[in-house]
Amino acid sequence: KKIVVPDSFPVKMIDFDFSMMQSTRTLYVKVRDKLYKFWFFMPWVKPKTNFLQRLNHYLNGLQISPSCYIFNQTNILCELVPVPQHVVAWTYQPYLQDYLRKAFLLSKNFKQLFSNILNAVYWHKVDWYGYSIARTVMPVSNRLSAILVKEEINAKCIYPCVRSITNKNVTNPRDTNVIRFALMALSLEDKRKGFIKVISILKQLKPYQFTLTLIGSCSDEFKEWVLQNNFPAIFTGILPRDYAISALRNCDVLIFASISDDWGYVQVEAMSQGLAILSPQHSPFDEIIARDDYLYDLNSDNDLQNKLSAIIHKQNVDSDKTWFKNRYTNCFSSDVFSKNLIQLIGR
């Protein structure tokens, strides 16, 4: 996707990718790379990559001398490059058992589990090596930051941002007696999203003083199950991003039920559109939401049911929506992110 910036913005876009640094794939290189994949898992072997060395050399050839690098992932950092490197930290908690736990959560079968376990071990090692050589680590939550600081890593939390999309479409007025819930995912039947449990609990909250908009793909069987007994659901199917945002604007509360995400981009984007968010009481989502009345215990169906029922009977949902919109502006907007980032790197 093309990135468009104003003419007055001091940015220079440079194309550089792995295809520009590929060397001849001799038999020796192929065997060496295969052996390294197994050798890498030995505790005393340091992760290595020459991507940043090649990039830095390429930029120097263009008469560009970077004062720092800012990375979104740790496997690009290189201690051989004498330029300050800052990197984002995503995974909470940052210990091997937590990486492995997520591998189990993301696996649908044994083959996937085996691959995910290897990836978990790889990323745990790469992340901690990256944290150890980075000038600054930027965790996405204060809890993760506190753990890294305790481990003597120079860490400071910076919340990721989501750019708010404006739209001239008029939002449908809300019937004050009906709360408009929303669920959104590429696949509504993905077990990791937890939507089946949410819908099952909503079906128990009779009489239905709410509607539920479901944005994403699903089977006809799933749709038939949801609509049984006149359940007030609206299916939009998969929508392009702008249309999905417009659909969200016609809702009041987004329900989130997954803990497999490292950061709540879906929640923050919904907040930017003026929705309240009901979310699991799990890091980093608890920091994003920051309200007990919109956080629930993912392991307690009773807690989720009580929180949903309380929202349905709330008299001040509109003021809650305004509160969430303001929280987005004050914590997760592009302006706040830019100021925090510039302050962190000492510009």
Side-chain angles (χ1 to χ4, degrees):
K1 184 176 181 181
K2 186 178 180 180
I3 301 175
V4 180
V5 296
D7 293 337
S8 59
F9 187 73
V11 64
K12 184 173 184 178
M13 307 297 293
I14 298 175
D15 290 327
F16 183 83
D17 56 39
F18 281 99
S19 64
M20 300 176 67
M21 53 178 283
Q22 287 178 346
S23 58
T24 304
R25 296 288 290 171
T26 64
L27 179 60
Y28 163 76
V29 171
K30 292 179 181 179
V31 172
R32 182 200 65 189
D33 290 349
K34 284 287 185 183
L35 290 175
Y36 178 73
K37 287 183 179 179
F38 293 97
W39 183 246
F40 171 84
F41 290 99
M42 298 297 102
W44 59 85
V45 177
K46 289 184 178 181
K48 65 176 182 178
T49 174
N50 62 354
F51 176 81
L52 186 55
Q53 287 177 284
R54 296 284 187 98
L55 173 61
N56 197 61
H57 179 75
Y58 180 75
L59 292 176
N60 290 339
L62 298 176
Q63 305 302 310
I64 297 174
S65 299
S67 57
C68 73
Y69 287 103
I70 304 172
F71 296 122
N72 199 40
Q73 58 192 54
T74 51
N75 64 340
I76 304 177
L77 278 76
C78 180
E79 60 184 330
L80 299 177
V81 176
V83 178
Q85 299 161 45
H86 310 274
V87 67
V88 178
W90 297 96
T91 303
Y92 177 85
Q93 296 190 31
Y95 302 115
L96 181 58
Q97 63 265 28
D98 302 291
Y99 282 71
L100 293 173
R101 186 179 299 114
K102 185 174 181 181
F104 278 89
L105 280 174
L106 296 176
S107 301
K108 295 181 179 179
N109 52 56
F110 180 78
K111 182 179 179 181
Q112 222 176 50
L113 176 61
F114 180 74
S115 175
N116 287 342
I117 287 175
L118 291 180
N119 280 332
V121 175
Y122 168 83
W123 279 108
H124 173 260
K125 185 172 184 176
V126 168
D127 282 347
W128 277 100
Y129 178 70
Y131 299 158
S132 69
I133 66 175
R135 172 68 63 87
T136 310
V137 179
M138 301 175 289
V140 297
S141 70
N142 283 301
R143 283 189 181 180
L144 178 53
S145 180
I147 291 175
L148 295 179
V149 169
K150 189 175 180 180
E151 298 288 346
E152 300 184 347
I153 300 296
N154 182 28
K156 180 176 175 55
C157 173
I158 293 186
Y159 291 135
C161 68
V162 170
R163 183 175 60 87
S164 180
I165 296 178
T166 57
N167 195 303
K168 296 181 179 179
N169 293 347
V170 178
T171 301
N172 293 335
R174 183 173 72 88
D175 184 336
T176 55
N177 296 319
V178 177
I179 295 294
R180 299 172 299 180
F181 289 117
L183 294 172
M184 183 169 69
L186 287 176
S187 172
L188 298 171
E189 297 173 85
D190 187 338
K191 293 181 179 179
R192 295 171 300 176
K193 302 302 180 183
F195 290 165
I196 292 177
K197 182 172 78 169
V198 171
I199 296 169
S200 297
I201 291 175
L202 283 171
K203 282 176 171 284
Q204 301 173 30
L205 301 179
K206 298 179 180 179
Y208 299 137
Q209 296 178 305
F210 62 85
T211 61
L212 177 64
T213 298
L214 297 103
I215 305 170
S217 67
C218 67
S219 64
D220 290 338
E221 292 78 10
F222 179 82
K223 188 179 297 187
E224 290 175 7
W225 170 73
V226 172
L227 293 173
Q228 285 176 358
N229 301 318
N230 297 317
F231 185 76
I234 303 165
F235 290 87
T236 69
I238 291 182
L239 298 174
R241 185 165 182 261
D242 288 356
Y243 288 94
I245 295 299
S246 295
L248 279 180
R249 286 198 191 96
N250 293 328
C251 300
D252 304 306
V253 180
L254 176 73
I255 305 173
F256 195 81
S258 169
I259 60 170
S260 61
D261 298 43
D262 290 323
W263 176 252
Y265 281 110
V266 174
Q267 292 117 308
V268 173
E269 189 157 50
M271 289 167 65
S272 75
Q273 303 305 313
L275 275 74
I277 316 295
L278 180 63
S279 185
Q281 194 163 6
H282 181 86
S283 185
F285 312 135
D286 52 354
E287 286 188 36
I288 295 173
I289 306 305
R291 286 184 57 151
D292 289 340
D293 54 341
Y294 281 91
L295 290 169
Y296 67 91
D297 182 353
L298 194 63
N299 298 315
S300 171
D301 290 358
N302 286 336
D303 190 37
L304 176 55
Q305 182 171 337
N306 290 338
K307 293 294 171 63
L308 286 168
S309 180
I311 292 172
I312 291 170
H313 297 98
K314 265 179 176 281
Q315 300 298 317
N316 59 343
V317 171
D318 287 335
S319 63
D320 289 351
K321 291 168 65 178
T322 300
W323 185 91
F324 276 98
K325 173 70 173 179
N326 291 336
R327 179 159 178 76
Y328 161 78
T329 302
N330 296 328
C331 298
F332 311 116
S333 63
S334 300
D335 287 345
V336 171
F337 173 79
S338 301
K339 291 175 182 176
N340 290 337
L341 184 61
I342 290 172
Q343 183 179 18
L344 179 69
I345 62 178
R347 294 293 297 277

